[in-house]
Amino acid sequence: MIDTVLVAEKSVVSAKGEGPTVDVSGAAGRVFLLTLEISKIIEQESLEVSINGSADGASWGAKPIVTFPQKFYCGQFPLLLDLTAHPDVKFVRAHWEVARWGRGTETPMFEFGLTLKEIPAQVLRDATAEAKALA
């Protein structure tokens, strides 16, 4: 089961960038929980984090597979990464964009981390069955 870091906890960034390439080809399932944790910011700035996929770890798709909504505050933000519609994707990596506006320094500053955890197939089946029962 894959449980790894896409961006090291408390990484400080002030410009756009990318995390390391992570091999997900060994995952038993194709659904993962992403957890973005923003621990420090300055006012009047935004962070946008997306996940890109690759079949070979060298060439990356023009569009991200999934993107977190823009963030402006500290907090912990979960998002599902479902690769079932992307059977060719064997590698993923995080990409982030930062922006700053208003008064003060023009350089943005975010301290954040991003983790990726495989969701076991049984948990997905149980959640789907429960959702259908409630519908």
Side-chain angles (χ1 to χ4, degrees):
M1 184 154 100
I2 295 175
D3 186 357
T4 191
V5 173
L6 294 178
V7 177
E9 183 181 358
K10 298 193 184 263
S11 292
V12 177
V13 300
S14 58
K16 71 179 182 178
E18 295 172 339
T21 299
V22 174
D23 184 350
V24 294
S25 62
R30 302 283 293 165
V31 181
F32 303 87
L33 176 64
L34 296 166
T35 304
L36 172 63
E37 185 164 354
I38 301 171
S39 51
K40 192 182 288 184
I41 64 163
I42 52 179
E43 65 181 3
Q44 297 179 318
E45 65 180 1
S46 64
L47 172 69
E48 187 171 304
V49 178
S50 58
I51 303 297
N52 294 24
S54 173
D56 59 7
S59 49
W60 298 86
K63 290 185 173 183
I65 298 169
V66 68
T67 302
F68 282 87
Q70 255 186 351
K71 301 298 178 195
F72 306 94
Y73 304 102
C74 293
Q76 195 174 64
F77 308 97
L79 184 68
L80 282 180
L81 172 61
D82 187 351
L83 295 179
T84 56
H86 305 277
D88 57 321
V89 171
K90 294 184 173 91
F91 301 91
V92 295
R93 74 175 175 197
H95 173 81
W96 57 87
E97 300 275 339
V98 295
R100 175 126 168 82
W101 62 90
R103 55 195 164 104
T105 178
E106 292 182 14
T107 305
M109 188 287 302
F110 277 93
E111 183 179 273
F112 73 100
L114 180 63
T115 59
L116 173 97
K117 185 172 186 175
E118 184 178 352
I119 299 175
Q122 185 59 46
V123 171
L124 287 174
R125 283 192 292 274
D126 292 348
T128 302
E130 186 175 328
K132 287 181 182 178
L134 294 174

